Amino acid sequence: MKVGVVGAGLMGSAAARHLAKAGVDVTLIGPAEPENKRTHQGTFGSHYDEGRITRHNAVDPFWVEVSKASIARYGEIETESGISFFSETGALMAGSDTWIAQIDKAAQMHGVESHMLDAGGLSETFPYFAFDPGFSGAYERRRAGHVSPRRLVAAQQAAAFKHGAKPVVTEVRHVSEARVRTSDGLLEFDHVLVAAGGWTDAILGRDPQLDVYARTVAFFEVDAAEAERLKTMPSLVYEAPEDPYLLPPILYPDGKTYLKLGGDPEDVRLDGPGAVGDWFRGGGSADVRDRLEEMIRALMPSLRIESVSMDACVTSWTTSRLPEIRALSDRLVVCTGGNGAGAKCSDELGRRGAALILENLGDTE
């Protein structure tokens, strides 16, 4: 039995690893990262970056559950691949007492080791943050921090190929049941899993079911001395209308160190692959970048910023705000919809998609 996995990003690469480890003849299909995003005319992914928050805590217990399962396998993935992608810097969530109480409830439900901090505890533990005086916090010291999504994908793929998966580096145009039309021709399988993020609806040729939103992230360059001053800084999510998230200083491939802040003031929907491609090529919104700079200067008034830049990203949302992982037929499975929270738990989401394929294989053998 031959299985094709369409989408070589976070969920697809994870699914391919789990299928290959189960002994399945699996082919992972997707394009390489563009050399120049500003001129690239094909498909884009949202994992071309070095920083995504990883943590167990969340308001919704579902995300705690899948994050816990994924984080538990980080070491396994790093060992199998020989590629490191996880930095244990800790993770903090800060907000109103009501919001933090919801997080604490979900944490207790799943046995998450989390330290609760009142306003004084936040100020004492993290003096470089200037939180609202009414904020409290939930702080994970261990098995939390950030991952490099780019390196996580590379690690998943390296492990998958080690277990026998085969790569086909190409653009996918359309999937119908177990037939995959690529820019290079037609591939046929016994079963197909589609994990194509914001491109999923177009590849399946179905009416739009995902809301794909434009996102701008801002990068704040710091020098070596500032990075050293902030070496204990955790990743951060804090309560505000923009749903902001902040990454601590991370060394990027250009040799510079950046803090990254995301949090759009409004949801701008991108309708179709053409709009998504235009957004990635455009590199983000200058207005949002400027708003993010105002936010980080208010949050970290002592931060010494060398330069400010930005980039474009997208998030894919389902109506339920939970991932779409289901069989569309006895030969076709879809695994998509990270809902802005999928990177840290992508291994478990991919595993669940792979499990549906394995169930179908069991029914046909």
Side-chain angles (χ1 to χ4, degrees):
M1 289 288 182
K2 295 183 178 181
V3 174
V5 175
V6 173
L10 287 157
M11 293 187 203
S13 298
R17 183 179 76 92
H18 285 284
L19 288 166
K21 289 192 71 170
V24 173
D25 183 351
V26 58
T27 300
L28 179 63
I29 313 159
E33 180 175 346
E35 292 185 7
N36 187 331
K37 290 173 66 174
R38 301 296 176 259
T39 60
H40 179 63
Q41 295 300 312
T43 304
F44 289 88
S46 290
H47 64 272
Y48 312 144
D49 186 30
E50 293 302 323
R52 291 288 192 283
I53 291 176
T54 189
R55 66 183 192 279
H56 300 83
N57 277 332
V59 172
D60 190 321
F62 170 83
W63 294 106
V64 182
E65 177 185 350
V66 293
S67 296
K68 185 176 182 180
S70 289
I71 293 169
R73 290 192 290 268
Y74 283 179
E76 171 189 308
I77 300 166
E78 290 184 329
T79 298
E80 288 183 5
S81 66
I83 298 172
S84 62
F85 57 82
F86 169 52
S87 297
E88 192 179 41
T89 61
L92 173 66
M93 299 185 76
S96 65
D97 290 345
T98 301
W99 194 61
I100 295 300
Q102 292 177 279
I103 293 166
D104 187 35
K105 180 179 178 180
Q108 292 188 43
M109 184 182 302
H110 289 282
V112 175
E113 182 183 342
S114 187
H115 300 269
M116 311 310 293
L117 299 169
D118 59 16
L122 279 178
S123 178
E124 180 180 351
T125 308
F126 308 107
Y128 34 76
F129 293 142
F131 290 121
D132 184 300
F135 275 15
S136 53
Y139 176 39
E140 296 176 66
R141 291 193 179 98
R142 298 181 61 254
R143 304 304 297 161
H146 56 89
V147 296
S148 161
R150 182 183 281 119
R151 291 180 63 83
L152 174 52
V153 167
Q156 293 280 26
Q157 292 182 8
F161 301 151
K162 177 181 177 181
H163 290 292
K166 299 178 290 293
V168 173
V169 182
T170 188
E171 303 247 346
V172 174
R173 305 301 187 198
H174 181 67
V175 172
S176 177
E177 288 296 314
R179 295 163 62 90
V180 179
R181 176 74 62 183
T182 77
S183 56
D184 301 315
L186 182 67
L187 299 173
E188 297 194 55
F189 301 94
D190 298 296
H191 299 269
V192 169
L193 182 149
V194 176
W199 307 83
T200 298
D201 289 336
I203 284 173
L204 290 173
R206 66 183 186 180
D207 291 337
Q209 296 188 32
L210 295 169
D211 291 324
V212 181
Y213 293 130
R215 294 290 186 246
T216 298
V217 292
F219 296 94
F220 304 96
E221 181 191 355
V222 295
D223 62 18
E226 189 70 338
E228 175 65 20
R229 183 177 75 90
L230 298 172
K231 66 181 180 180
T232 63
M233 178 180 163
S235 61
L236 170 68
V237 173
Y238 64 102
E239 191 177 13
E242 297 88 352
D243 292 326
Y245 62 94
L246 177 64
L247 278 298
I250 296 173
L251 181 65
Y252 271 70
D254 64 1
K256 296 180 179 181
T257 299
Y258 301 95
L259 281 73
K260 186 182 82 169
L261 177 63
D264 284 60
E266 62 177 323
D267 289 328
V268 177
R269 181 169 174 167
L270 300 171
D271 293 320
V276 174
D278 288 343
W279 173 250
F280 272 107
R281 282 185 290 273
S285 164
D287 288 341
V288 174
R289 176 203 61 204
D290 293 345
R291 172 59 183 147
L292 292 170
E293 182 177 357
E294 292 176 6
M295 290 169 61
I296 199 169
R297 290 190 184 277
L299 177 67
M300 302 183 72
S302 63
L303 182 65
R304 299 191 303 272
I305 299 171
E306 300 293 312
S307 69
V308 181
S309 56
M310 68 177 182
D311 205 355
C313 190
V314 302
T315 54
S316 302
W317 298 76
T318 62
T319 302
S320 68
R321 295 308 192 245
L322 296 175
E324 181 187 8
I325 305 175
R326 64 190 179 99
L328 301 183
S329 74
D330 59 358
R331 302 182 72 186
L332 181 61
V333 165
V334 64
C335 180
T336 193
N339 295 278
K344 64 183 180 295
C345 52
S346 55
D347 186 67
E348 175 63 9
L349 302 182
R351 187 201 67 78
R352 293 186 181 199
L356 293 179
I357 291 287
L358 294 172
E359 288 176 14
N360 285 333
L361 287 176
D363 291 340
T364 57
E365 292 179 346

